[in-house]
Amino acid sequence: DVIRYKVTDRKTGVQRTLLYEEVFRIVGLTTNGFQPIAPTGVGAKAIRLARYLDDYTTTAFSRGLNVGGFLVHPGKLSNEGRKRLADSIMERFTGAMNWFRPMILAEGITFQKAQMTAREAQLTEERKWQISEVARVLGVPLHMLNIDDQTNRSTTEEQSLNFIRFTARPQIVNVEMAVQTQLMIAPRA
């Protein structure tokens, strides 16, 4: 049985069929030696969750999820008073250059600390967990991604050696074998 590949030109969209010998292939994850299994397919759920979490975190913080607290007025503020107070706070205290400016409260207004912080919402921990899941699928130790996973130096060294042994080396060997068998011309006798 002859193996053939259907290839589509990305620029023109033209599809053509190539023989096995006409294609440079680097075999990666596979169950039958021909049909590749993409690591992104194996870890699709973890990668999708990481993307969704990243999108959520970016959106939440860009919109200012980090509410430090609430201003409480002892009486009842009119709609106009509430608007003036909100406008004043937005003008004086939003933006990186205005962080940590002292806020002077008048008319009996008090500050009540918010109960939920970003850490309490576990966004940071959840994000770290998602990165570790994607790293696990790809076989990359966390210390190589600058994730503090509380490992000591000897453990980090062992993880680095294992990364070379079990992740990088097999991939490099696959590339070498593909080059030797598909691109190198055997010397003529």
Side-chain angles (χ1 to χ4, degrees), residues 48-180:
R48 249 191 333 272
L49 281 172
R51 256 191 71 216
Y52 293 149
L53 181 66
D54 189 51
D55 290 347
Y56 171 78
T57 305
T58 301
T59 302
F61 283 111
S62 70
R63 292 186 180 162
L65 171 73
N66 197 8
V67 176
F70 306 93
L71 297 176
V72 180
H73 191 277
K76 182 173 173 131
L77 278 176
S78 67
N79 286 342
E80 180 61 31
R82 191 176 304 132
K83 183 178 180 336
R84 277 197 322 266
L85 181 60
D87 290 345
S88 172
I89 290 171
M90 292 299 287
E91 178 184 324
R92 292 184 183 146
F93 300 104
T94 57
M97 297 305 290
N98 293 319
W99 288 356
F100 305 111
R101 286 181 72 181
M103 183 183 290
I104 298 170
L105 303 175
E107 297 181 22
I109 295 175
T110 58
F111 178 79
Q112 186 176 13
K113 187 174 178 353
Q115 296 300 312
M116 186 176 88
T117 65
R119 185 129 178 97
E120 290 165 344
Q122 296 183 341
L123 290 176
T124 306
E125 292 300 316
E126 184 67 24
R127 192 159 184 201
K128 180 180 171 183
W129 184 81
Q130 288 301 333
I131 291 170
S132 69
E133 276 296 290
V134 173
R136 181 187 59 77
V137 168
L138 299 175
V140 178
L142 291 179
H143 74 272
M144 291 183 154
L145 300 172
N146 292 326
I147 301 293
D148 180 25
D149 61 349
Q150 306 298 320
T151 55
N152 60 34
R153 185 181 170 119
S154 63
T155 304
T156 299
E157 184 177 349
E158 186 65 28
Q159 287 177 352
S160 296
L161 291 172
N162 285 339
F163 173 74
I164 297 297
R165 254 185 238 131
F166 303 118
T167 302
R169 188 171 187 280
Q171 292 176 14
I172 293 167
V173 167
N174 283 344
V175 171
E176 287 176 342
M177 288 174 51
V179 168
Q180 286 176 356

Side-chain angles (χ1 to χ4, degrees), residues 13-25:
V14 174
Q15 192 177 62
R16 56 186 218 176
T17 302
L18 299 174
L19 296 175
Y20 181 82
E21 300 81 29
E22 297 175 308
V23 176
F24 177 64
R25 303 159 311 286

Side-chain angles (χ1 to χ4, degrees), residues 34-53:
F34 299 107
Q35 186 72 29
I37 300 172
T40 53
V42 173
K45 185 176 181 182
I47 292 169
R48 249 191 333 272
L49 281 172
R51 256 191 71 216
Y52 293 149
L53 181 66

